Amino acid sequence: MRRRTITAPSRVLPDALLWAVLALPGALADLTGVNAPRPWWQSVGGAVVLAVAVAASRARPVLAPTLAAALGLAASPSLFTLSYGPALSVLAYLLGRRSAAARPALYAFPAVAAAGTLLVLARDVDPVVEWLVLTGTLLFGAVFPWLAGRYRRQARELVAAGWSRAAQLEREQEIVADRARLRERTRIAQDMHDSLGHELSLIALRAGALQVAPGLDASHRAAAAELREAAASATDRLRDIIGVLRDAGPAAPAPLTPPDDSLRALVDRAAASGLPVRARLPRGTELPPPVERAAYRVVQEALTNAAKHAPGAEVSVTVVSGVSGVDGASGAGETSVTVVTGPRPGPAAASPAPGSGTGLLGLRERVALAGGTFTAGPSGDDGGFEVSARLPHGPGPGPRLAPRAAPAEGAGQPAGLAQAHRTARRRFAVPFAVAAAAGAVFVAAAFGWYAYIKGHSVLKPADYAALDVGAPYAEVAPFLPDRQVADPPADRAPGAPPAGAECRYYRASGELFVSVDHFRLCFRDGHLVAKSRVPRAGAPGASEAVEREQQAVEQEEKEEKEEKEWLR
């Protein structure tokens, strides 16, 4: 309710101004005498109907031009009026602007054409000329403005759709940014697991070795035990945090550089922490950066798991690159990484620290991203564990990168937008092309009919000269053309026609679009009683010719009267 009270007054003033503009031509036409005299109540009634049409143009837009067309048909069956023609065009334009559906207009315009055709046929005039005027007025005064309104509406809708698409793209970019942030969190979590987990495991391993070292008093042993427990607890809390940060999405790429310089430094640091590790690493061979990072992560995770789950067990690290071999050796163009953890020594380590399994999962993803293969599992019946990876030096198939490397949705956006533009242009161009074709057909038909009626209403001057006044109609008819002049120049005729006679007008020349001479033939009681020549408009000596014709007509009437008196 509040919205109506606010918006309704804002529409009253524009509608009132529109009504005043549409009613002004009719009032001016009545005041200046352009229209035929009509009662005052007809003018007032037309203004009231226009007010109703303007008021209904928002809620019932198709009713508004229909009412204006009804006023035009009431004033002239051809629909061409100065009083209501502008109102018809404006309201038809508003129909195109305010109505989303085209079907009501496609029903209304043919209905107006049908009603006008019936009115034209009911009049005693040439129906073809009136119908052509009706069709032209309806086409150019109603259909074209309606199409212009529809084009304006579609243009506004296209602009609105463009802004909506832009807003949608902004939202999608925000979503992409959020996903990037989530992937970064996942990468951070993976790095924390790989680096901090590894360091905490080595701290716990050193604390455990310190706890059992000889020569320590009880307080130092207790401190070493507390340090080991604290490191183990930190490792557990780190695993919990990683579980929160990680998601199930695609793995993010590894960091550009590992936290340490080389595989050799990683192995030496683990050995210095008390982990019994033996390593066979390549010498003097530079691995490709992606392969080196992946191998570093595999060895780091395997050493971390060995320190965590099998403290004191011997670990063997083997990295072979770029040589052909057998028995598990690497082939040319690839690097194999194998980390074997021996069985846990002694019953003290029978209860290893629980693991989350995310480390091996991350390794599997990293190796797959590098195009290699990864395996992890028990290495025999003695309780050992083996981690193995094969890393090709060339670009791998990268199955996991395919979904992320093919942004089909984003790539299809320009094509979809271009399709929307083409659809909008087609929706605009097709109706205008149809209307333009109809207009061309109408103009051609009007010109053809004009040429036909003018060409078939020509009485040759020689035939006119051969006609004798007083001859019966049967003798005159063979010389007459098929049609009469529909708009005779009676104002230029030489005097009034004889009393009781029916006069017909014919053209004296077949020229088009210019004023020509006309012949007037008057018949009474089946005989030709008078004939005269009507000069063209603006012809030199036209007044003298009219005067001579008038004198000739008067002389003929005088002689006829004298002949009748003599016969009596």
Side-chain angles (χ1 to χ4, degrees):
M1 287 305 280
R2 184 179 180 183
R3 183 179 179 183
R4 292 183 179 179
T5 58
I6 292 177
T7 58
S10 64
R11 296 179 178 177
V12 172
L13 182 58
D15 290 348
L17 293 177
L18 178 61
W19 170 78
V21 171
L22 297 183
L24 182 62
L28 292 178
D30 291 337
L31 293 177
T32 57
V34 176
N35 287 339
R38 58 177 180 173
W40 65 269
W41 58 268
Q42 291 185 0
S43 302
V44 175
V48 172
V49 174
L50 284 180
V52 175
V54 172
S57 62
R58 296 184 184 274
R60 298 290 186 271
V62 71
L63 180 62
T66 304
L67 293 177
L71 290 176
L73 292 177
S76 173
S78 63
L79 195 62
F80 183 79
T81 61
L82 296 178
S83 299
Y84 307 115
L88 175 62
S89 298
V90 172
L91 294 176
Y93 173 80
L94 293 180
L95 170 61
R97 281 286 303 273
R98 296 172 177 175
S99 177
R103 185 168 297 179
L106 298 180
Y107 290 155
F109 293 147
V112 173
T117 301
L118 294 178
L119 293 177
V120 167
L121 294 177
R123 296 185 63 189
D124 190 16
V125 294
D126 187 0
V128 178
V129 175
E130 292 285 330
W131 186 83
L132 288 176
V133 175
L134 168 66
T135 304
T137 304
L138 186 61
L139 181 62
F140 295 102
V143 176
F144 275 4
W146 171 69
L147 290 176
R150 282 189 60 82
Y151 167 70
R152 179 59 180 169
R153 177 185 179 88
Q154 291 177 358
R156 293 182 61 184
E157 290 179 350
L158 185 60
V159 171
W163 283 110
S164 176
R165 182 59 178 167
Q168 181 181 356
L169 290 177
E170 289 182 358
R171 292 192 298 268
E172 291 179 357
Q173 290 178 354
E174 293 177 357
I175 294 174
V176 171
D178 291 340
R179 293 182 61 183
R181 285 192 292 269
L182 292 176
R183 286 195 298 268
E184 184 64 17
R185 291 176 61 185
T186 303
R187 187 189 66 81
I188 294 173
Q190 184 65 41
D191 289 343
M192 291 174 61
H193 179 276
D194 293 343
S195 59
L196 296 182
H198 177 72
E199 299 297 336
L200 290 175
S201 298
L202 294 182
I203 292 174
L205 181 62
R206 290 183 178 182
L210 182 61
Q211 182 181 358
V212 298
L216 290 181
D217 56 14
S219 59
H220 289 167
R221 293 183 187 278
E226 292 176 0
L227 178 60
R228 183 178 60 81
E229 293 177 359
S233 178
T235 303
D236 295 338
R237 288 196 301 270
L238 178 63
R239 185 179 66 248
D240 295 338
I241 295 174
I242 290 173
V244 174
L245 292 179
R246 289 181 60 91
D247 59 5
L256 295 179
T257 58
D260 221 327
D261 292 337
S262 62
L263 289 171
R264 175 64 63 182
L266 175 64
V267 173
D268 291 343
R269 188 171 60 253
S273 300
L275 184 67
V277 55
R278 292 180 297 116
R280 178 189 173 191
L281 304 177
R283 295 182 179 180
T285 303
E286 293 185 358
L287 302 179
V291 176
E292 185 176 3
R293 288 195 296 268
Y296 185 95
R297 291 303 184 187
V298 171
V299 175
Q300 183 185 50
E301 180 64 23
L303 294 178
T304 300
N305 291 337
K308 181 190 302 183
H309 303 296
E314 292 185 358
V315 181
S316 174
V317 178
T318 304
V319 178
V320 181
S321 176
V323 295
S324 300
V326 295
D327 298 332
S330 173
E334 69 174 12
T335 296
S336 67
V337 181
T338 305
V339 181
V340 180
T341 303
R344 295 185 297 271
S351 298
S356 61
T358 58
L360 294 179
L361 179 61
L363 283 183
R364 191 179 303 276
E365 293 176 354
R366 289 179 186 276
V367 173
L369 287 174
T373 58
F374 176 84
T375 58
S379 61
D381 298 335
D382 55 356
F385 196 84
E386 180 179 351
V387 174
S388 177
R390 288 182 175 271
L391 304 170
H393 291 184
R400 290 182 177 267
L401 294 178
R404 298 172 60 186
E409 182 179 358
Q413 291 171 0
L417 186 59
Q419 180 64 28
H421 279 285
R422 287 193 297 268
T423 301
R425 286 194 297 267
R426 184 170 59 252
R427 290 180 178 178
F428 161 69
V430 170
F432 261 95
V434 172
V441 171
F442 163 75
V443 172
F447 177 79
W449 181 252
Y450 173 81
Y452 174 80
I453 61 176
K454 298 301 182 183
H456 285 73
S457 61
V458 176
L459 178 59
K460 299 179 179 179
D463 295 338
Y464 171 78
L467 299 178
D468 297 328
V469 177
Y473 180 79
E475 297 180 2
V476 177
F479 298 95
L480 300 181
D482 299 339
R483 301 182 62 86
Q484 306 177 38
V485 175
D487 50 345
D491 55 335
R492 302 196 306 270
E502 178 187 357
C503 297
R504 300 179 182 180
Y505 291 81
Y506 300 95
R507 293 168 57 90
S509 172
E511 298 178 88
L512 301 178
F513 304 107
V514 295
S515 179
V516 299
D517 295 342
H518 287 72
F519 297 125
R520 185 181 72 178
L521 304 180
C522 298
F523 297 90
R524 184 176 59 197
D525 298 331
H527 291 76
L528 177 65
V529 296
K531 68 174 187 177
S532 58
R533 186 184 185 95
V534 181
R536 67 174 59 93
S543 59
E544 292 82 356
V546 171
E547 184 176 355
R548 289 195 301 269
E549 291 287 347
Q550 180 68 24
Q551 292 175 358
V553 170
E554 292 177 354
Q555 183 65 27
E556 290 178 0
E557 291 180 353
K558 183 178 180 181
E559 292 176 357
E560 183 180 357
K561 185 176 181 181
E562 291 177 354
E563 182 180 359
K564 289 181 179 180
E565 291 179 355
W566 183 80
L567 291 175
R568 290 178 182 176

